Amino acid sequence: MMNQAQKIRSMMNQAQSIRLASSIEKRDFSFEIELLGTMYRSDQFTGDISPLTRLLYKERRNIQSLEQSLASQKQTHEMVEQQILEALKT
């Protein structure tokens, strides 16, 4: 059996949950993304945003590939530089 304080606390939690749910439904979730020189706003999409999602993933993969390539080139540069320095010492 609930005492008076527990009932009040429960009612306050329910009221807060209802307020939170209604504020989330009314909130305007928006975004703006620049991708390859083109600005995309959330109001441009009334339904399926999967084309934009695919483009974002593709560009992310391209960036990751470029970062890996750069790391490999840096490593190669360091190895060549080390070999040149060793050759100059002899």
Side-chain angles (χ1 to χ4, degrees), residues 2-3 8 10 16 21-22 26 28 30-31 37 45 51 53 55 57 61-62 65 67 69 72 83-85 89-90:
M2 288 185 162
N3 65 26
I8 292 172
S10 175
Q16 184 178 10
S22 68
K26 293 177 184 175
D28 178 25
S30 62
F31 63 87
F45 302 97
T53 304
L55 187 57
Y57 280 118
R61 283 192 307 271
N62 288 344
S65 175
E67 287 173 343
S69 177
S72 176
Q83 290 176 356
I84 290 172
L85 288 174
K89 288 181 183 178
T90 58

Side-chain angles (χ1 to χ4, degrees), residues 3-89:
N3 65 26
Q4 188 67 18
Q6 289 173 327
K7 287 181 184 178
I8 292 172
R9 193 174 304 120
S10 175
M11 288 173 34
M12 288 176 63
N13 286 340
Q14 287 176 346
Q16 184 178 10
S17 295
I18 292 169
R19 245 191 339 267
L20 180 61
S22 68
S23 69
I24 289 173
E25 290 172 7
K26 293 177 184 175
R27 190 175 301 154
D28 178 25
F29 293 103
S30 62
F31 63 87
E32 187 172 275
I33 297 173
E34 181 179 352
L35 184 61
L36 300 175
T38 303
M39 292 299 292
Y40 296 92
R41 293 183 315 277
S42 58
D43 61 354
Q44 291 176 286
F45 302 97
T46 57
D48 185 19
I49 63 168
S50 60
L52 178 60
T53 304
R54 282 191 295 275
L55 187 57
L56 285 170
Y57 280 118
K58 178 184 173 191
E59 289 308 310
R60 186 178 73 166
R61 283 192 307 271
N62 288 344
I63 289 171
Q64 288 173 339
S65 175
L66 288 171
E67 287 173 343
Q68 290 171 352
S69 177
L70 179 61
S72 176
Q73 288 178 2
K74 282 182 179 180
Q75 187 177 18
T76 302
H77 176 266
E78 290 170 359
M79 286 178 13
V80 169
E81 189 176 61
Q82 185 65 34
Q83 290 176 356
I84 290 172
L85 288 174
E86 288 175 7
L88 290 173
K89 288 181 183 178

